[in-house]
Amino acid sequence: MSCKTFLSFFVLLLMVSSPLKAQDITLPAPQKSGGMPLMEALSKRSSTREFDTKKQLDKQTLSNLLWAAWGFNRADKRTAPSAMNHQEIDLYVFLPEGVY
């Protein structure tokens, strides 16, 4: 079983077995200016394998991340490039109130 198939099956199982139903959430518009300079961001970049499951992102940060991953930065162009413009990407957001 491929990783993508397993993940899809897991998400489906989680959604079916969970008593909570995800409701639509309204996010603010992403902040497209400001922030940290690129070189400073690159110097602070790091990876982690542990996450605080009790800490939740605020809606503005979630909006910014989703726009960076799959938003439009021009009329018909995505912020994240894809090979040969196939646009094969699946984004999942796990929140206490549901999976999106």
Side-chain angles (χ1 to χ4, degrees):
M1 180 184 306
S2 73
C3 183
K4 188 172 182 177
T5 304
F6 176 77
L7 183 60
S8 297
F9 174 76
F10 177 74
V11 169
L12 180 63
L13 180 64
L14 184 67
M15 290 170 58
V16 171
S17 64
S18 175
L20 299 175
K21 299 270 185 194
Q23 301 295 316
D24 288 344
I25 57 174
T26 303
L27 295 176
Q31 295 172 330
K32 299 178 186 176
S33 63
M36 185 181 302
L38 174 62
M39 298 308 280
E40 185 178 346
L42 291 174
S43 71
K44 291 183 176 183
R45 194 213 69 74
S46 66
S47 297
T48 183
R49 300 288 186 245
E50 297 177 14
F51 301 97
D52 184 352
T53 57
K54 293 177 178 53
K55 189 174 181 181
Q56 190 171 358
L57 293 177
D58 60 88
K59 288 185 177 183
Q60 185 64 61
T61 301
L62 179 59
S63 176
N64 295 348
L65 287 170
L66 291 173
W67 177 81
W70 198 234
F72 285 94
N73 62 359
R74 290 165 289 190
D76 62 341
K77 303 292 183 187
R78 296 278 184 186
T79 54
S82 63
M84 299 174 59
N85 201 29
H86 281 132
Q87 308 300 335
E88 295 179 11
I89 186 170
D90 295 320
L91 292 174
Y92 298 96
V93 176
F94 291 79
L95 299 174
E97 59 269 15
V99 178
Y100 299 85

